Amino acid sequence: MMDYRRASKKLSYYLRHCEEPRYISLDGGWADIDVIIRALKEKLPWMNREILGEIVEQDEKGRYSISPDGLKIRANQGHSIEGVVIKMKQVDSPPEYLYHGTAQRSLDSILKDGLRSMSRNYVHISTDYATAVKVGSCHGKPVVLQFRAADFVRDGYKLYISDNGVWQAEFVPPEYLSVLYDDSETYNGTN
């Protein structure tokens, strides 16, 4: 039975996090499609180029890109391998506000130290509240932070957007963040 969700998770791991063997190049994060298919076939014997194409096409978040020549594939963002450079567009005029979804257990640390990329190369930021809630829910009880993106850029920080529309920054200081949603009893409403 073909489990596309499982295949997508394995593909994401190979293209974002797998250090040994490393399937991707540091420059652009591209991997040879035939090599990735062979690696996926070890756990998913039904994998082929057509199915890989369907996974890329059907991915609702647009996580993957296939090169124009059809020979390479990459994850558009979310890498944890140090040194991977994905060219992104630097944005000089972002929306006034963007959003970040996280788990309630991370709130105190974020309000003290800001948003850090942790195991990834960049902090991921959402364009809308609903997406931020969904992201936060993946990590536990959700919290949504409002990020003053326009002020952040005006103050000289850099903000990027990936090919699939994910906003990213290397770091967001706490003074640009405010709690928009937290239904936990432990949060006292100050920041």
Side-chain angles (χ1 to χ4, degrees):
M1 183 171 148
M2 293 187 285
D3 183 349
Y4 280 31
R5 186 169 188 264
R6 180 173 171 225
S8 183
K9 283 184 172 221
K10 197 74 172 160
L11 177 62
S12 179
Y13 171 74
Y14 288 156
L15 297 178
R16 291 176 170 175
H17 312 297
C18 187
E19 295 255 24
E20 192 58 46
R22 181 177 296 163
Y23 295 103
I24 63 172
S25 71
L26 294 180
D27 183 24
W30 292 103
D32 182 277
I33 283 181
D34 291 333
V35 170
I36 291 296
I37 290 172
R38 277 196 301 277
L40 289 168
K41 275 182 173 272
E42 289 178 21
K43 300 280 184 191
L44 310 164
W46 45 265
M47 181 56 65
N48 61 38
R49 189 178 280 267
E50 183 179 333
I51 292 170
L52 183 70
E54 288 174 21
I55 290 168
V56 170
E57 189 176 303
Q58 292 175 13
D59 186 81
E60 65 184 33
K61 292 184 178 179
R63 289 181 185 96
Y64 315 109
S65 291
I66 294 179
S67 63
D69 63 8
L71 300 176
K72 298 193 179 294
I73 186 170
R74 75 171 179 198
N76 289 317
Q77 85 280 328
H79 299 85
S80 63
I81 298 172
E82 190 173 332
V84 173
V85 177
I86 304 286
K87 290 186 174 44
M88 294 183 285
K89 179 182 173 190
Q90 184 176 331
V91 180
D92 295 324
S93 299
E96 184 173 357
Y97 298 107
L98 293 170
Y99 305 90
H100 180 79
T102 190
Q104 196 283 326
R105 68 181 174 278
S106 302
L107 184 58
D108 289 341
S109 174
I110 291 170
L111 293 177
K112 179 181 175 230
D113 301 324
L115 288 173
R116 299 188 179 280
S117 60
M118 306 306 281
S119 63
R120 295 187 178 186
N121 296 342
Y122 291 91
V123 173
H124 293 182
I125 304 158
S126 303
T127 56
D128 62 89
Y129 175 85
T131 300
V133 170
K134 189 174 180 181
V135 169
S137 297
C138 292
H139 303 286
K141 194 168 197 169
V143 172
V144 176
L145 299 168
Q146 188 175 50
F147 165 45
R148 292 189 348 266
D151 290 344
F152 177 81
V153 170
R154 224 179 346 267
D155 290 346
Y157 291 99
K158 293 181 180 169
L159 191 59
Y160 305 95
I161 191 164
S162 65
D163 285 348
N164 62 328
V166 175
W167 292 80
Q168 300 177 57
E170 292 178 24
F171 167 69
V172 178
E175 58 266 24
Y176 295 96
L177 302 169
S178 59
V179 177
L180 193 59
Y181 170 78
D182 177 10
D183 71 352
S184 72
E185 294 175 19
T186 58
Y187 180 66
N188 64 17
T190 62
N191 60 331

